[in-house]
Amino acid sequence: MYSMLIARYGEISIKGKNRSDFEKKLVDNMQQAVKGLGDIKISRTGGRILIHLNGADYRTVLDTLRWVPGIVSLSPVMTTTQEIEKIEETAVELLNKVVQKPTTFKVEARRANKMFPLTSPELSKVLGSHILKNVPLLSVDVHRPELTFTCEIREQEAYIYVEVIPGPGGLPVGSSGKALLLLSGGIDSPVAGWMAMKRGVEVEAIHFHSYPFTSDRARKKVEDLAKRLAHFGGRCRLHVVHFTEIQKAIRQHCPEELSITVMRRFMMRIADRLAHQRKLLALVTGESLGQVASQTLESMYTINHVTAIPILRPLIAMDKVDIIRIAKDLETYETSILPYEDCCTIFMPKAPRTRPRVEEAVRAERDLNIEELVQEALDKTETVTYYKDMESAEPV
């Protein structure tokens, strides 16, 4: 029934002279997302992006593209010639298929082709009258309609549709540089990665694995989350840091109440070093202010003190219930709550310091060979790349 989809973008339209670059990036990302779904062609025209299905299943394509950052909304479209009789015929055909119960409607007509003989209001009136006569289940309500029928008169064809499916909005992935996501395996960090991607950031992930204190199943959980992020961004490179020796040293030499603070400082040092090696411009974390001991302002200040790289915290002011809702929408929630402990929970002190000072953390680290521990962890880091819809990883 549908031969095409229309994709709309929002923020990209105000990018001025750079708009074309953002549009091209979005089209590239969309083309990558639908790879393997059929002979799909994507083109730009008049502030819209057209997805020519060429026989591909529109539902599958729609479900894939609605997760591509930069897309504000999508509509499955029937196309016809610009003869008014063909437009009326196609309108009735579409509405008789989609309207299954008594429904109120209105008509919106847009005339991009000014050579078309009717103005937009005139076309709306003609189509509305014809639809009302030929689709028995419909009645008019121009103020609060249950259904909006839209007809766009473009240069060569008329586009007809009734559905507008929301997309994530934001900017296309890769248009705002690259960053390194601290991916713990919990609920928050995958959501933070997704929200950074919505702002155009291409995300690589780093995970701290403390085998045998954390199991292979805990690592598998993180790998599955990285695969899910690859589904949204096209690919996700995952760096797995062997963190066991650092945690053993912290447990042996540091005060228990400061162990989480010291551990997080080591994570920041390692992530900072890896980011510079990979030419990544920022770190991304799933921290939400006040959620746990390491996420008070005092803790974040003390932990940040070991790095000068920008740290992005997309969830910083969000409630947990909102984060969980997004995680469920992203289909990361069920994976995140699997009961396999990560390195942040296995050595959790009974009474962690919630307002540690920098000088306290420095004193706590005085018996640690920081540089040697950091370098050893980096040397043992394993890196794999996951691509959209690929079960296996590509070693790097």
Side-chain angles (χ1 to χ4, degrees), residues 82-338:
Q82 295 185 359
E83 288 82 15
I84 189 63
E85 294 81 7
K86 290 296 294 181
I87 295 173
E88 291 174 337
E89 177 185 326
T90 306
V92 171
E93 177 189 354
L94 173 60
L95 289 168
N96 275 323
K97 287 180 178 178
V98 300
V99 178
Q100 303 297 319
K101 60 182 181 65
T103 304
T104 59
F105 86 109
K106 74 172 183 178
V107 174
E108 287 187 356
R110 303 188 183 106
R111 188 185 62 153
N113 180 1
K114 301 306 179 184
M115 300 298 293
F116 188 76
L118 300 179
T119 65
S120 295
E122 289 170 343
L123 180 58
S124 293
K125 185 176 180 180
V126 168
L127 288 177
S129 176
H130 186 79
I131 290 168
L132 201 57
K133 292 176 183 176
N134 291 276
V135 185
L137 291 174
L138 288 179
S139 59
V140 174
D141 185 342
V142 297
H143 300 292
R144 293 186 177 179
E146 297 171 276
L147 180 148
T148 298
F149 171 87
T150 303
C151 176
E152 295 188 14
I153 305 297
R154 310 300 291 187
E155 293 305 315
Q156 304 295 329
E157 296 177 304
Y159 299 160
I160 290 172
Y161 56 90
V162 294
E163 292 183 87
V164 178
I165 294 91
L171 300 173
V173 173
S175 61
S176 299
K178 300 179 181 181
L180 184 62
L181 169 68
L182 278 68
L183 185 61
S184 68
I187 296 170
D188 301 338
S189 54
V191 176
W194 158 250
M195 293 185 71
M197 293 163 71
K198 275 186 61 177
R199 298 309 304 160
V201 176
E202 183 177 341
V203 168
E204 296 188 14
I206 182 171
H207 175 68
F208 298 91
H209 185 57
S210 294
Y211 184 83
F213 301 119
T214 53
S215 67
D216 286 335
R217 290 181 298 180
R219 175 170 174 167
K220 175 65 165 55
K221 179 169 82 164
V222 171
E223 291 170 348
D224 288 342
L225 291 171
K227 291 176 186 177
R228 188 60 182 162
L229 290 176
H231 179 80
F232 304 130
R235 68 177 181 181
C236 181
R237 184 164 287 161
L238 174 65
H239 309 274
V240 179
V241 176
H242 290 261
F243 205 57
T244 307
E245 295 306 315
I246 291 176
Q247 289 208 279
K248 288 163 65 176
I250 292 171
R251 191 177 190 186
Q252 182 178 354
H253 296 290
C254 298
E256 182 185 20
E257 67 273 13
L258 288 169
S259 59
I260 293 296
T261 301
V262 174
M263 181 189 70
R264 295 286 295 177
R265 281 162 63 92
F266 267 97
M267 289 179 176
M268 288 296 176
R269 291 182 178 107
I270 293 168
D272 177 293
R273 193 83 60 88
L274 183 61
H276 280 92
Q277 291 175 6
R278 297 285 308 151
K279 295 182 171 55
L280 310 177
L281 301 179
L283 305 181
V284 180
T285 77
E287 292 166 299
S288 175
L289 188 60
Q291 185 173 181
V292 295
S294 64
Q295 295 176 20
T296 64
L297 280 179
E298 293 86 351
S299 286
M300 286 190 282
Y301 178 82
T302 298
I303 292 164
N304 288 7
H305 211 262
V306 300
T307 177
I309 193 171
I311 301 175
L312 310 181
R313 296 181 170 92
L315 313 184
I316 193 66
M318 293 184 65
D319 292 335
K320 192 70 174 186
V321 66
D322 296 322
I323 298 170
I324 290 173
R325 176 182 52 78
I326 296 172
K328 288 179 177 179
D329 289 342
L330 299 177
E331 299 179 15
T332 59
Y333 179 76
E334 295 300 329
T335 301
S336 293
I337 63 173
L338 291 173

